Amino acid sequence: MAPPSTVTCKSRCNVSITKGSQPNGKEQGNQDAGKCKHYCGKGTHELPSCTGRSFHPLDPLQPSEIVAAAHVIKTALAPTLAKSGVINFIEVILDEPEKTLLALYQCQLQVKHNHRQLVRPPRQARLTVYNAHNNETSLWVVELPAAPRAPKVLWCQYIPDVQPPVGTEEYVLCEAIVKSHKPLIEALRKRGITNTDLIMVDTWCTGYHEEKDAPSRRLARPLMFYRTESSCPMENGYARPIEGLSLLVDLQNMNVVELEEREAAPLPPPDPMRNYTPACVPGGLRTDVRPLQILQPGGPSFEVNGYEVTWQKWSFRLGFTPREGLVIHSVAYSDGSRGPRSVAHRLSFVEMIVPYGDPAEPHYRKNAFDVGEDGLGRNAHSLKKGCDCLGYIHYFDAYLTDQKGDVETLENAICLHEEDNGILWKHKDWRTGLSEVRRSRRLTVSFICTVANYDYGFYWHFYQDGKIEAEVKLTGILSLGAIQPGEQRKNGTVISTGLYAPIHQHFFVARMNMAVDSKPGEAENQVVEVNVVPEPPGPNNPHCNAFYAKETLLKSEMQAQRDCNPLSARHWIVRNTKVVNRAGGNTGYKLVPGANCLGFIGKDAMILRRAEFLKHNLWVTSYSKDELYPAGEFPKQNPRIGEGLPTWVKKDRDLENADIVLWYVFGVTHIPRLEDWPVMPVERIGFTLTPHGFFDCCPAIDVPPNQNGA
């Protein structure tokens, strides 16, 4: 974000404020910087009621709150709207309360009596607004008091030279504009493509590759595909990419600003194996699959109260944002007489990047930032008609906003259910023949989204032994290119005649604000890296068999830029610096990597301007409320170098006693196979958070055996 400087608030108050200041109004030596006070107390307009019940401070915004927040912004910008027309609401989300206020609220809950009134942190909304008339992006914070008090703007900030994420309405309009562009229609006709109804347009963001991609314009580079005319209800248009026509679309003004024609491979012929719906599967469906039922006659073991979930000894709260999708707050495990013990304050996936490894046009431009440019939550599925879950399922709706600021309800956006997970623990005494075995079950909370051709499932699994597993499931359809019949490409895999799939990678970034045995905001955690090393031959290792776990304290942010190393069984432990276990060690949770990789991106690649954080698998920072996204708040078309995480760590803040945030970058290198076509079987990738000295013994020792061997 740009350094603070003075700018005039371009709405009705016309007051000078400070851009670059923080939403809490705190900046070096200026408590009021960034606050547009002229909006405060102007509640003369008839606004929708903000609250119909008492919300928990971490509950996501409800429809009435979204409408009220958008309404107060529309009122504030009324003069601007009168001149320029419609402004676009990119997102309206909960402005999460300061941790000190949250800690105070939680303390009140613990000692609350019936006659005492809870003092709640204020409900606030954070809005990102785009003005298509002048290509201007602004951030707002609105207070949402209970009726009859009216909402009011607490803070506003205009951000120069940025582009916010692209909305669904823009995707739809872009496709319509492209398909009606007369020069394109003529160019397609020359290629024998005459039915525009069969054209599919995927609106890919431009990224930043050259000066004309700068954020002074809101740009997209659509990819086009041509469906085969058929009776298939989900005809796979991705099987016929249209190449040789490069489009540049101005999303601000919704027009095609550039059409470049070049020689390219012809349109691939229809592939007989392109479709995947039941009636279109070659050879028909299997006939030997019998029903498999998951029964829970007593109902589920979890309980849901609003957005709070309790399951056996776990408790946590759920949230949802257009950008991250599922957010998990206040994760705790109840440990007997010690009561609930905190594990993490906030867990979410904050970025996903898919760089392609083919230098040919248009594939080298494929560097999608699916969180920062599009939004996981904005592209999430409504799971009402079924999902990947069996058994007793509890769904949560999500409330998003369209560009006009109206509420869009995404029904059943989050899925909560239990799963059997095989053996939890077992031992047989060979002397007596007696054995004890316990079956494992896990609680899974998940959501699924589609971004263009790919589909992604995001899962957090909670286990009875205190583990938390994060998992991503990748599926969907390959992003394909056209080639000459008989041609081979070393940067991809030939799928069918005239069709190939470029090699690429998928990277995900999980942001974990840990709170091991800590209240919100307490700076009592640290991170230790553990590597297993062999003992050098000598008196301490006479048989050359000794090895041990070597611990290294990561003392500062610059030191805590680390990579996975399976050769040394490398992992990292977040420890509480004050709480000890029965052996005298500090309690902790360890991050255990799963399969992982680093990027095959050259040091001069333009994508690294926005994605320098791909250089390492682990980054550790000291918590700051506004440090949420590793590529910065606005990665779309960002020409600047190293914004976000690589810049924040240069502060080199102390980590020896800190409010710890782990940023774990994990990825998969996808070398496409024939077996990935026409739809890709699920590939799984993830990591685990495992208790390490957190408990005094096996926390799953008290799980009862299954009754009747069932």
Side-chain angles (χ1 to χ4, degrees):
M1 191 171 290
S5 61
T6 301
V7 67
T8 298
C9 181
K10 299 178 180 179
S11 52
R12 69 180 184 184
C13 67
N14 226 18
V15 68
S16 292
I17 61 174
T18 298
K19 63 179 180 180
S21 55
Q22 302 303 321
N24 58 17
K26 295 180 180 178
E27 189 176 272
Q28 301 171 353
N30 186 358
Q31 290 291 329
D32 292 325
K35 294 183 179 178
C36 184
K37 294 184 176 178
H38 285 228
Y39 293 134
C40 301
K42 299 289 186 181
T44 58
H45 308 280
E46 193 167 325
L47 297 174
S49 174
C50 291
T51 56
R53 64 177 178 83
S54 295
F55 297 113
H56 185 278
L58 293 174
D59 282 355
L61 294 182
Q62 299 302 291
S64 60
E65 295 180 299
I66 293 173
V67 170
H71 185 89
V72 77
I73 301 304
K74 292 175 185 177
T75 303
L77 293 177
T80 303
L81 287 170
K83 295 177 182 178
S84 63
V86 178
I87 59 171
N88 296 336
F89 287 86
I90 303 300
E91 65 177 20
V92 183
I93 62 173
L94 176 71
D95 187 42
E96 295 176 16
E98 296 287 349
K99 287 187 174 183
T100 52
L101 298 177
L102 192 59
L104 177 62
Y105 177 79
Q106 291 183 353
C107 183
Q108 292 179 82
L109 287 177
Q110 294 173 3
V111 299
K112 177 179 179 289
H113 300 291
N114 291 333
H115 64 278
R116 295 184 61 184
Q117 178 99 20
L118 283 171
V119 179
R120 301 175 183 274
R123 293 281 287 179
Q124 296 178 355
R126 189 175 190 273
L127 302 91
T128 304
V129 176
Y130 176 71
N131 187 332
H133 176 70
N134 56 16
N135 194 38
E136 186 173 67
T137 300
S138 56
L139 300 176
W140 304 73
V141 173
V142 174
E143 185 180 32
L144 300 168
R149 292 174 57 202
K152 60 183 180 182
V153 174
L154 298 178
W155 175 87
C156 61
Q157 176 186 13
Y158 287 82
I159 315 294
D161 301 320
V162 299
Q163 288 294 336
V166 178
T168 305
E169 293 95 333
E170 291 176 289
Y171 291 139
V172 175
L173 285 172
C174 180
E175 181 171 54
I177 291 297
V178 168
K179 292 171 70 170
S180 63
H181 186 58
K182 291 183 178 179
L184 175 64
I185 293 173
E186 177 60 24
L188 290 170
R189 188 188 63 78
K190 294 176 183 177
R191 288 167 165 74
I193 299 172
T194 57
N195 188 350
T196 56
D197 291 338
L198 296 176
I199 294 175
M200 291 176 12
V201 180
D202 279 2
T203 305
W204 283 62
C205 293
T206 59
Y208 184 84
H209 297 274
E210 52 190 317
E211 180 56 33
K212 70 178 180 181
D213 296 332
S216 56
R217 297 185 297 175
R218 187 164 174 78
L219 301 173
R221 284 195 175 272
L223 299 179
M224 293 184 295
F225 307 86
Y226 193 60
R227 294 192 298 266
T228 301
E229 193 164 4
S230 74
S231 60
C232 182
M234 293 179 65
E235 171 64 33
N236 185 0
Y238 291 112
R240 305 184 78 188
I242 301 171
E243 297 208 353
L245 296 173
S246 178
L247 288 162
L248 185 65
V249 175
D250 183 338
L251 297 177
Q252 176 190 354
N253 300 299
M254 278 300 163
N255 56 26
V256 176
V257 295
E258 181 181 290
L259 171 59
E260 179 185 346
E261 297 187 55
R262 64 181 187 280
E263 288 189 13
L267 186 71
D271 179 8
M273 295 185 177
R274 68 187 180 277
N275 290 323
Y276 46 87
T277 52
C280 301
V281 173
L285 302 179
R286 302 181 188 190
T287 59
D288 57 351
V289 180
R290 296 176 180 174
L292 172 65
Q293 295 181 338
I294 306 298
L295 303 177
Q296 292 180 276
S301 299
F302 59 77
E303 294 183 0
V304 176
N305 180 18
Y307 291 93
E308 181 183 31
V309 177
T310 55
W311 177 72
Q312 299 191 32
K313 299 188 175 186
W314 285 107
S315 65
F316 51 86
R317 306 193 68 86
L318 299 181
F320 197 91
T321 73
R323 191 158 176 169
E324 302 158 281
L326 174 64
V327 178
I328 300 181
H329 301 278
S330 306
V331 181
Y333 192 98
S334 184
D335 188 14
S337 61
R338 301 178 69 171
R341 297 173 63 192
S342 174
V343 175
H345 176 70
R346 191 181 193 275
L347 308 173
S348 69
F349 293 96
V350 290
E351 194 53 89
M352 177 171 68
I353 303 175
V354 188
Y356 279 70
D358 189 334
E361 183 81 40
H363 308 290
Y364 78 92
R365 294 182 180 274
K366 294 179 180 177
N367 296 293
F369 283 63
D370 288 328
V371 174
E373 292 179 337
D374 298 288
L376 302 181
R378 189 177 289 107
N379 289 284
H381 297 184
S382 173
L383 301 172
K384 178 171 55 178
K385 294 182 179 179
C387 67
D388 61 339
C389 312
L390 294 175
Y392 190 103
I393 304 168
H394 186 96
Y395 292 107
F396 295 83
D397 295 342
Y399 304 108
L400 308 174
T401 180
D402 62 15
Q403 289 189 355
K404 295 179 181 179
D406 296 329
V407 176
E408 290 186 339
T409 299
L410 181 63
E411 294 182 341
N412 304 339
I414 302 172
C415 173
L416 176 75
H417 74 292
E418 294 175 284
E419 295 179 340
D420 180 85
N421 196 54
I423 294 176
L424 176 62
W425 57 262
K426 180 175 183 176
H427 180 66
K428 178 179 179 180
D429 187 330
W430 64 271
R431 293 175 177 84
T432 64
L434 299 175
S435 69
E436 288 285 341
V437 61
R438 302 291 185 271
R439 289 202 67 78
S440 173
R441 70 171 67 180
R442 65 187 186 185
L443 183 70
T444 295
V445 57
S446 62
F447 78 104
I448 301 172
C449 68
T450 298
V451 187
N453 53 295
Y454 263 109
D455 299 78
Y456 301 91
F458 295 89
Y459 301 80
W460 293 93
H461 305 293
F462 295 84
Y463 291 85
Q464 294 162 302
D465 61 354
K467 289 199 303 287
I468 303 171
E469 180 186 10
E471 182 182 36
V472 180
K473 296 179 181 178
L474 299 82
T475 182
I477 299 177
L478 297 166
S479 183
L480 300 166
I483 53 176
Q484 297 289 345
E487 182 184 357
Q488 298 290 325
R489 287 281 181 93
K490 72 175 183 179
N491 301 101
T493 302
V494 174
I495 297 297
S496 180
T497 301
L499 194 63
Y500 84 111
I503 190 171
H504 57 281
Q505 294 181 289
H506 300 257
F507 288 101
F508 307 89
V509 185
R511 180 184 181 273
M512 296 166 282
N513 184 192
M514 303 299 292
V516 177
D517 274 328
S518 300
K519 295 183 177 67
E522 287 185 342
E524 296 180 353
N525 283 185
Q526 61 181 206
V527 181
V528 172
E529 179 174 287
V530 180
N531 289 278
V532 176
V533 297
E535 187 77 44
N540 294 328
N541 187 18
H543 307 292
C544 297
N545 70 312
F547 54 94
Y548 65 98
K550 180 181 179 181
E551 296 187 355
T552 304
L553 176 64
L554 302 181
K555 296 182 179 181
S556 70
E557 292 177 325
M558 289 299 287
Q559 183 189 0
Q561 301 173 53
R562 309 299 300 162
D563 296 327
C564 295
N565 185 0
L567 298 181
S568 66
R570 180 173 293 169
H571 58 274
W572 300 275
I573 305 174
V574 180
R575 285 187 175 144
N576 187 289
T577 58
K578 295 182 179 179
V579 181
V580 296
N581 52 41
R582 68 169 179 161
N586 295 94
T587 60
Y589 255 77
K590 67 178 179 179
L591 167 59
V592 183
N596 208 339
C597 64
L598 289 171
F600 294 99
I601 303 168
K603 62 181 179 62
D604 297 323
M606 294 299 287
I607 186 179
L608 287 183
R609 286 175 174 256
R610 302 185 291 159
E612 189 179 342
F613 57 86
L614 291 182
K615 290 182 177 179
H616 299 289
N617 296 124
L618 180 74
W619 304 69
V620 185
T621 60
S622 179
Y623 169 82
S624 177
K625 182 179 180 181
D626 299 308
E627 295 177 1
L628 280 174
Y629 308 111
E633 178 115 23
F634 301 105
K636 177 175 163 52
Q637 296 176 241
N638 185 358
R640 296 171 291 278
I641 298 174
E643 282 194 2
L645 191 51
T647 297
W648 301 332
V649 299
K650 290 178 182 177
K651 301 173 187 177
D652 206 23
R653 290 166 289 196
D654 176 63
L655 297 177
E656 293 192 64
N657 282 279
D659 186 352
I660 293 294
V661 180
L662 302 178
W663 308 76
Y664 184 60
V665 182
F666 59 106
V668 59
T669 301
H670 189 179
I671 305 171
R673 311 170 296 155
L674 284 175
E675 291 84 354
D676 291 330
W677 181 253
V679 66
M680 184 178 120
V682 161
E683 182 159 352
R684 295 170 171 83
I685 185 173
F687 60 92
T688 58
L689 294 170
T690 304
H692 191 278
F694 189 79
F695 301 105
D696 287 334
C697 69
C698 172
I701 199 72
D702 59 352
V703 173
N706 280 21
Q707 297 180 358
N708 302 322

